[in-house]
C-alpha cells in the first residue's frame, strides 16, 4: 500500500461519515476521561424531568402564541417539522441586539476555524472504492476531509494544472503521478492553504466569532436573554446557563457550509458529550437545540439554509456524494428547501435531536439529520448572529444540577 505514497500517505478505505464532530472548529474542546464527572458519565436517573420539545398542534406556516413570565408574548411560526423549526420575530429588542454586537466587539472576535488536521498531520487520501487511484470526486473529498477545503471540479482541475499533478489529463491521479509531483507530503497542504487564503469561498466557513458563557456572565442583558431562552423553551435555568452563546460576524462573501450543530455518537466507540472545552481528551459536542438570533439586517444574502427540511427522501450519503454542503455553489439552487432571511431581533429555534423517548440513554434522542443547515454567503452588507446552543451531556443528573 505504501509503495503508492512513499511519504507516509496511505490510501485508506474510509467511510465518509467517519469523523467525529462536524465542526472541527475552535469552539469545542475536550474533557478529561480520567475524571468521569467531567465527562458526564452516566449515573442513575432520579429526576422525572424529560427534555421536552415545544410541540403544538400546527401545520407548517401556522403560529402559536407563547406567553412568558416577563410579560412578553412570543409568536412561534412553524417552518418545518423535521427538523422541528420555529421562527420567532422580535425575540430580542433592537437595543439588545445592538448591545450584544457591541459587547462582542469590545471583547474581540477571532477568525472561525474549521481546518481539518491535514495541515499538521499526514494527509489521508479518500480512495473510497480502494482502487488506488483518485478520481476528481475522491480528490475533492480528500481536500474536504483533510483541510476543510471545498473545491469544485474546476478548482481541482486548476490545482492539477498548477501542480502538474495530472500531466496526461485523464482526470485520475495514479501513484506515479502523485509521487512525481509531490515528493513531500506537505506540498499538497501548502498549496491548499495558499489557495484558501486567497479565496475564502473555498473554506468551510468564513467568519469571525467569540463566545459568551451565560453561567459566567455578569452582563445584565446577556443574563436576561438567558432567562428568556429558558422560559421560552420550558427548560430549567441550570441547564440553559450551561449553553454556549457564540457570536458570529460575516463580512461580504462570508458563509458557513452545511453542517450539523450536534455531533453524532460513533457506532464503534464510546465518546462522551463535552461539558466545557477545558479538558484534553476526546469528547463530542452534544447540542440538543439551537436558538439562532439575527443581530442585524443583512442588505443581501446571508440566509440560513436548511436544504433538507421536511425532505422525506433525504439520504445523507447521496447528499454528501453530490457535494451539496457547498453553499457558495448551492445556496440559490432550487434543491435548498428552506432559507430563513436574517432580520434584526428575530430568532430561529430548532432541535438538532429527535424527541427524547421514555428511558432513553443518553437522555436525549438521536440526531435529526434533517437539521443540516448553514449560512449562505453575504452578498451585500454584513451579518451578525448569536447561536445559543443548549448543550447536554450523557448524564441527566449532572445536566440538571451541576454547578461549577
Ligand atoms: C452556525 C450556523 C448559520 C447562520 O454558526 O453554526 O449554522 O445563519 N450559522 O449564520
Ligand atoms: Fe450551525
Amino acid at each position: 500500500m505504501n509503495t503508492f505514497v512513499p511519504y507516509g500517505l496511505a490510501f485508506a478505505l474510509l467511510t465518509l461519515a467517519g469523523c467525529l464532530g462536524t465542526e472541527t472548529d475552535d469552539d469545542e474542546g475536550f474533557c478529561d476521561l480520567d475524571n468521569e464527572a467531567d465527562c458526564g458519565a452516566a449515573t442513575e436517573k432520579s429526576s422525572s424531568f424529560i427534555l421536552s420539545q415545544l410541540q403544538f398542534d400546527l401545520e407548517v406556516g401556522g403560529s402559536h402564541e407563547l406567553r412568558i413570565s416577563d410579560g412578553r408574548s412570543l409568536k412561534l411560526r412553524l417552518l418545518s417539522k423535521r427538523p422541528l423549526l420555529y421562527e420567532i420575530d422580535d425575540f430580542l429588542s433592537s437595543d439588545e441586539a445592538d448591545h450584544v454586537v457591541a459587547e462582542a466587539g469590545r471583547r474581540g472576535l477571532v477568525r472561525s476555524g474549521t481546518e481539518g488536521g491535514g495541515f499538521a498531520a499526514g494527509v489521508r487520501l479518500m480512495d473510497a472504492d480502494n482502487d488506488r487511484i483518485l478520481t476528481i470526486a475522491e480528490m475533492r473529498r480528500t481536500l474536504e476531509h483533510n483541510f476543510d477545503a471545498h473545491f469544485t471540479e474546476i478548482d481541482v482541475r486548476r490545482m492539477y494544472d498548477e501542480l502538474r499533478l495530472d500531466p496526461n489529463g485523464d482526470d485520475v491521479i495514479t501513484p506515479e503521478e502523485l509521487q512525481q509531483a509531490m515528493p513531500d507530503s506537505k506540498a499538497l497542504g501548502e498549496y491548499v492553504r495558499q489557495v484558501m487564503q486567497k479565496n475564502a469561498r473555498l473554506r468551510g466557513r468564513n467568519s469571525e466569532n467569540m463566545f459568551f458563557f451565560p453561567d459566567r456572565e455578569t452582563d445584565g442583558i446577556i443574563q436576561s436573554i438567558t432567562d428568556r431562552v429558558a422560559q421560552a423553551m420550558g427548560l430549567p435555568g441550570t441547564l440553559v446557563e450551561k449553553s454556549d452563546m457564540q457570536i458570529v460576524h460575516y463580512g461580504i462573501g462570508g458563509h458557513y457550509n452545511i453542517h450539523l450543530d450536534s455531533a453524532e455518537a460513533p457506532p464503534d466507540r464510546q465518546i462522551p458529550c463535552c461539558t466545557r472545552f477545558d479538558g484534553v481528551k476526546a469528547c463530542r459536542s452534544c447540542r440538543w437545540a439551537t436558538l439562532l438570533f439575527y443581530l442585524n439586517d443583512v442588505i443581501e444574502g446571508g440566509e440560513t439554509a436548511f436544504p433538507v427540511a421536511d425532505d422525506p427522501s433525504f439520504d445523507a450519503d447521496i447528499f454528501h456524494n453530490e457535494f451539496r454542503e457547498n453553499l457558495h455553489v448551492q445556496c440559490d439552487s432550487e434543491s435548498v428547501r428552506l432559507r430563513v432571511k436574517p432580520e434584526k431581533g428575530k430568532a430561529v429555534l430548532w432541535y438538532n435531536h429527535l424527541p427524547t423517548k421514555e428511558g432513553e440513554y443518553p437522555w436525549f434522542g438521536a440526531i435529526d439529520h434533517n437539521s443540516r443547515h448553514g449560512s449562505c454567503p453575504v452578498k451585500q452588507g454584513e451579518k451578525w448572529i448569536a447561536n445559543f446552543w443548549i448543550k447536554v451531556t450523557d448524564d441527566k443528573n449532572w445536566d440538571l444540577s451541576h454547578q461549577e
Side-chain angles (χ1 to χ4, degrees):
M1 198 184 247
N2 280 338
T3 52
F4 180 63
V5 209
Y7 40 86
L9 306 190
F11 265 66
L13 222 190
L14 295 175
T15 58
L16 295 178
C19 56
L20 239 195
T22 51
E23 293 178 32
T24 50
D25 60 1
D26 42 76
D27 61 0
E28 272 314 331
F30 304 93
C31 67
D32 183 357
L33 276 178
D34 297 333
N35 178 357
E36 287 215 324
D38 268 0
C39 301
T43 59
E44 213 174 302
K45 301 180 189 90
S46 59
S47 157
S48 60
F49 181 84
I50 64 157
L51 280 169
S52 59
Q53 303 189 344
L54 289 171
Q55 294 263 18
F56 313 104
D57 190 15
L58 289 179
E59 287 311 313
V60 170
S63 299
H64 180 90
E65 193 103 355
L66 199 67
R67 285 207 174 278
I68 55 174
S69 67
D70 65 2
R72 278 167 204 263
S73 156
L74 299 171
K75 193 165 160 193
L76 277 64
R77 199 161 75 87
L78 186 68
L79 298 187
S80 74
K81 295 184 177 180
R82 282 284 302 270
L84 182 56
L85 168 63
Y86 298 99
E87 178 176 65
I88 311 165
D89 288 338
D90 302 316
F91 193 104
L92 302 182
S93 70
S94 180
D95 286 351
E96 285 171 332
D98 290 343
H99 174 84
V100 173
V101 168
E103 189 56 24
R106 201 180 63 74
R107 298 193 200 181
L109 290 87
V110 295
R111 182 159 136 195
S112 313
T114 55
E115 287 176 357
F119 290 113
V123 177
R124 274 187 112 175
L125 301 176
M126 304 294 282
D127 178 23
D129 54 6
N130 212 22
D131 61 358
R132 303 186 66 222
I133 53 172
L134 281 189
T135 62
I136 289 201
E138 286 168 343
M139 180 57 88
R140 291 175 76 186
R141 281 283 165 251
T142 298
L143 300 178
E144 201 182 289
H145 183 84
N146 290 277
F147 310 112
D148 196 27
H150 297 247
F151 280 43
T152 62
E153 223 175 285
I154 294 170
D155 299 319
V156 171
R157 286 182 207 281
R158 187 175 307 127
M159 175 175 93
Y160 287 176
D161 278 352
E162 289 175 3
L163 292 177
R164 293 187 218 301
L165 255 180
D166 184 26
N168 66 358
D170 66 355
D171 283 353
V172 294
I173 301 301
T174 63
E176 294 71 29
E177 285 167 339
L178 198 65
Q179 193 169 354
Q180 189 81 38
M182 301 196 310
D184 181 338
S185 68
K186 297 212 175 75
L188 184 63
E190 237 350 273
Y191 174 85
V192 173
R193 191 207 304 274
Q194 279 175 23
V195 173
M196 286 210 289
Q197 228 154 39
K198 275 187 263 164
N199 199 345
R201 121 188 113 76
L202 300 173
R203 296 185 202 142
R205 181 180 187 187
N206 178 21
S207 62
E208 46 176 5
N209 67 278
M210 60 81 71
F211 280 86
F212 293 110
F213 302 112
D215 55 344
R216 298 183 200 159
E217 266 308 319
T218 51
D219 183 284
I221 289 181
I222 292 175
Q223 285 172 340
S224 91
I225 294 171
T226 307
D227 285 349
R228 200 175 309 147
V229 170
Q231 283 186 36
M233 296 188 69
L235 293 174
T238 49
L239 188 73
V240 172
E241 281 168 14
K242 291 285 163 207
S243 305
D244 295 338
M245 182 175 171
Q246 184 199 40
I247 311 303
V248 186
H249 174 240
Y250 304 88
I252 288 196
H255 73 284
Y256 191 173
N257 280 347
I258 297 300
H259 60 277
L260 291 164
D261 276 355
S262 196
E264 188 146 45
D268 50 348
R269 275 195 301 162
Q270 279 262 333
I271 307 266
C273 297
C274 304
T275 50
R276 284 264 199 240
F277 45 98
D278 48 1
V280 286
K281 290 184 189 156
C283 65
R284 66 198 165 94
S285 184
C286 301
R287 294 173 181 148
W288 181 67
T290 302
L291 249 161
L292 186 154
F293 303 113
Y294 299 104
L295 302 175
N296 75 331
D297 289 311
V298 182
I299 300 172
E300 196 188 342
E303 301 90 346
T304 305
F306 293 85
V308 294
D310 281 338
D311 181 353
S313 62
F314 165 65
D315 178 296
D317 286 340
I318 295 174
F319 185 88
H320 191 60
N321 288 334
E322 291 176 348
F323 297 94
R324 285 178 58 195
E325 289 91 355
N326 188 335
L327 282 181
H328 270 278
V329 175
Q330 289 284 331
C331 192
D332 297 326
S333 140
E334 271 174 31
S335 68
V336 172
R337 294 172 63 97
L338 181 68
R339 289 177 201 80
V340 181
K341 185 178 158 53
E343 283 168 321
K344 189 175 184 181
K346 179 162 88 179
V348 270
L349 159 63
W350 72 90
Y351 295 90
N352 298 303
H353 289 256
L354 296 168
T356 305
K357 295 199 198 93
E358 191 72 40
E360 192 152 28
Y361 170 80
W363 70 296
F364 50 95
I367 293 259
D368 184 347
H369 280 272
N370 292 72
S371 70
R372 282 174 160 69
H373 64 279
S375 174
C376 292
V378 172
K379 292 183 182 162
Q380 249 197 89
E382 58 176 343
K383 175 181 175 189
W384 287 89
I385 58 144
N387 280 307
F388 207 106
W389 281 311
I390 311 290
K391 293 181 24 174
V392 285
T393 73
D394 307 280
D395 182 348
K396 175 178 183 174
N397 293 330
W398 194 95
D399 279 339
L400 289 178
S401 63
H402 184 85
Q403 300 288 337
E404 273 172 39

